[in-house]
Structure formats: C-alpha cells, structure tokens
Amino acid sequence: MDTTAYNAAPTRLRNTPSWLLSQVTTHAHRLVWGAFGSADARNHHYALLSALEEHGPASQAELGRRCGIDRSDVVAALNELAGRGLVTRSPDPADRRRNIVTVTPAGLRQLARLDEVLGRAQDELLAGLSADERDRLIRLLTKILDHHAAQRPNH
Amino acid sequence: MDTTAYNAAPTRLRNTPSWLLSQVTTHAHRLVWGAFGSADARNHHYALLSALEEHGPASQAELGRRCGIDRSDVVAALNELAGRGLVTRSPDPADRRRNIVTVTPAGLRQLARLDEVLGRAQDELLAGLSADERDRLIRLLTKILDHHAAQRPNH
DNA sequence: CAAATCTCAGCGGCACTGAAATTT
DNA sequence: CAAATTTCAGTGACGCTGAGATTT
C-alpha cells in the first residue's frame, strides 16, 4: 500500500500548476527557514542584504521595489537588521523624505554566511533534479516572473 | 530607465530557485485567491472537495494526508464547508474516533464552479509559457514533489 | 499501555491595507 | 495641490505546535 501523501493527492491538485507550485514552495520554505534559522535570519533579511551588496546604498522604497517586499515589511526587517548592526539608516540630505540604508561590514559577513547555508538548502530542495533540469526550472520560473512583471510594473 | 521590480531584483535572488518559486507562488496565490473569492471559497475548500469527489467519503485525518493540509486546518475548513451544506460529517460506526466526511450535491456543484474559475486563473498565471513549457514545468515540479514525498512519507 | 483521531487555542512568517506625518 | 516616503496598527491566509478528550 502506498502511504505517501503526494502520490495520493487528488488528480485535480496534481494537475494544477498553482497547487504544485505552492507545495514545492512550502518544501522550499521549510528548508530555507531551517538554513537561515541557524544564522538567526529570515528571507527578507537575505533579500535586503543582497540588494544592498549588489546595488549599494538605497532608500527603503527602492529596496522594497527591488526585492518585491512591501514597504511596511521593509521597515520591520530593517529594524531587525539595524538593531543587530548589519545595516545603518541615515537621512538623505538630498531628499529629506528618504532614509539611506547602507550595509555594514558585519552585514556583508552575515550575507556570506547566508549564501553558504542557502546554497545547501537549494541542493536539498532540488536533489531529485539533474543539473539540466534545474536550469530548465529556473528558466521557466524566470519567464513567468518576467511576464507578470511586464503586466504589472511595480506592485 | 527600467522601473520593473523583477528585472531589477538582485542577481542572488534571481539565481535562487526557492526565491523564484516563492515569487511565482505569490502571483499564483493572488490569481487563485481572486478566482476563488468570486465563488466564496479558499484553497483548502477546493482541495478537500477534490479529494472527496475523487476518492469518496473519508475521515478527516485521511483528507488531511491526501491534500497535505494540517489536521487542525482540516477542522476549520470542514466547519466552513459543512456550515454551507457542501459536505456532511457523521460519526464512523466502525471506528468511533473518526468522522466520515461526505460531499453533498451542492458541494459537487461548487466544485464544478471552482474548476472553471481555477482554470482561468492557471491560464493567466502561465500566459507567458507555451503549451510545451507548461507541460515541462508541471513535470519538473511533480518530480521535486515526488522526491520529497519519498524522503518524508506523510506530513 | 501506546497510538490514532478530532478539536481547540495560539503562534509566526509573510503579503497586504489604511492612515498619519513629512517632504517634494 | 498631488505624489512620494517612512512609519505604525492591524488583518488574513496558511503552516504548524501543543494539549485535551476519546477511542482503538
């Protein structure tokens, strides 16, 4: 007798892309959460540190746009990062509505740590796929994302 | 100047499968939520109705296992479905720990309604992909899911 | 006794809304 | 004036935990 959950899932669900996506994303979330938890971090922290490392200092609104994080959640995540000395917030003299957020050396070290544990989580997540299949998956997901980004520029 | 969010996303994120998955799943959730909302339903409702339609009456624990829904959330969703006459709960005479959950004719009509709106949401979600690419995506996601189901039988 | 089932109360990450205060 | 930015308070779907009561 087959006792696995997914093999017994209703045909309707197994044929529905959005259901497959959410199931796989749940697995991914579990793995990444475990990996980041060992470094006391969350998804938003990694995204924000990545954006700051790649593009340099930025306003909170810009960070939110780049990472696809709501303005409100950017505030909360930056509070946590700043509280631990991983980023600094300073007023923008050129536009006093804005904060300029900058990543600190400690923030860059944390990012490197997260890169490592995150890589291992990806390997676990995709353990069932060949290198070719992983490439194809990334390309397909990127294509969907780009399509919707074109339909729905910024939020 | 390019003002789209996803094209500007950090390279680290765009190369991380789990991030791509969660972004696409967020889009999917928005579309499906909108579709189901027009029929006053949620994801769990569709999953449970699907399982009942395909496999016939079942206990709550079995429904949870089949659909990948936590026992606790099964209770809540069935409360809502039963309250609207879409399923019935009756004690199992053969094992009095269990309820036997059965879908009603109204539940089947609701399922048919949901099938229709859900199909349109999938088309929107995958509008950027060819039929071939959609097939490939489904196969890749299924392969990941089956791999983890084998590693992690039930829950 | 151990294990399974149903139920309830509650938590936490994440996406999101609405509104206020400030500045452009 | 309208629009953008930061911030806060709060909501809601969803995954999950722990515990109690009942039954096998």
Side-chain angles (χ1 to χ4, degrees):
Chain A
M1 173 197 176
D2 179 16
T3 58
T4 61
Y6 294 121
N7 295 333
T11 305
R12 270 183 179 80
L13 300 183
R14 287 187 69 88
N15 288 338
T16 303
S18 65
W19 184 84
L20 293 169
L21 281 163
S22 86
Q23 295 301 113
V24 173
T25 298
T26 297
H27 280 290
H29 182 259
R30 246 191 311 257
L31 292 168
V32 172
W33 178 251
F36 282 174
S38 71
D40 233 58
R42 300 186 293 109
N43 281 341
H44 287 354
H45 298 171
Y46 181 75
L48 293 169
L49 292 174
S50 294
L52 290 168
E53 192 277 337
E54 181 169 337
H55 299 285
S59 72
Q60 301 184 187
E62 191 181 342
L63 289 172
R65 259 174 252 126
R66 271 195 214 285
C67 300
I69 302 177
D70 189 84
R71 68 211 191 294
S72 179
D73 300 314
V74 171
V75 172
L78 288 181
N79 284 344
E80 294 162 4
L81 290 172
R84 299 172 47 199
L86 305 180
V87 305
T88 61
R89 262 194 276 222
S90 58
D92 184 343
D95 183 342
R96 290 176 26 243
R97 291 172 303 181
R98 293 186 165 115
N99 288 333
I100 298 179
V101 182
T102 309
V103 62
T104 66
L108 292 177
R109 284 195 299 275
Q110 168 76 333
L111 179 58
R113 232 172 287 138
L114 296 182
D115 277 333
E116 202 184 314
V117 295
L118 180 59
R120 281 197 286 271
Q122 305 303 305
D123 280 344
E124 270 192 81
L125 174 63
L126 304 181
L129 300 189
S130 69
D132 239 44
E133 289 171 324
R134 297 179 192 199
D135 273 3
R136 250 177 287 152
L137 177 64
I138 289 176
R139 256 193 291 278
L140 290 168
L141 293 173
T142 301
K143 196 164 180 181
I144 298 173
L145 227 44
D146 289 344
H147 174 83
H148 284 92
Q151 304 299 308
R152 194 178 186 267
N154 292 324
H155 357 169
Chain B
M1 172 195 175
D2 178 15
T3 58
T4 62
Y6 294 121
N7 296 334
T11 306
R12 271 183 178 80
L13 299 183
R14 286 187 70 86
N15 288 336
T16 303
S18 64
W19 184 82
L20 293 169
L21 282 162
S22 85
Q23 295 300 114
V24 173
T25 298
T26 296
H27 279 291
H29 183 260
R30 244 188 316 253
L31 291 168
V32 172
W33 178 252
F36 282 173
S38 70
D40 232 58
R42 300 187 294 108
N43 281 339
H44 288 353
H45 298 171
Y46 181 75
L48 293 169
L49 291 174
S50 294
L52 290 168
E53 191 276 340
E54 181 168 338
H55 299 286
S59 72
Q60 299 185 189
E62 191 181 342
L63 288 172
R65 260 174 251 127
R66 272 195 215 284
C67 301
I69 303 177
D70 189 83
R71 67 212 192 295
S72 179
D73 299 314
V74 171
V75 172
L78 288 180
N79 284 343
E80 294 162 5
L81 291 172
R84 300 172 46 201
L86 305 181
V87 305
T88 61
R89 263 194 278 221
S90 59
D92 183 344
D95 183 343
R96 294 180 18 245
R97 292 172 304 183
R98 293 185 165 114
N99 288 332
I100 298 178
V101 182
T102 308
V103 61
T104 66
L108 292 177
R109 284 194 298 275
Q110 168 76 334
L111 179 58
R113 233 172 287 139
L114 296 182
D115 276 334
E116 202 182 316
V117 294
L118 179 60
R120 280 197 287 269
Q122 304 302 306
D123 280 344
E124 270 192 79
L125 173 63
L126 304 181
L129 301 188
S130 68
D132 240 43
E133 289 171 322
R134 297 179 192 198
D135 273 3
R136 252 178 286 153
L137 177 65
I138 289 176
R139 256 193 290 279
L140 289 169
L141 294 173
T142 301
K143 196 164 180 181
I144 298 174
L145 226 45
D146 289 345
H147 174 84
H148 284 91
Q151 305 296 310
R152 192 176 188 270
N154 291 324
H155 12 163

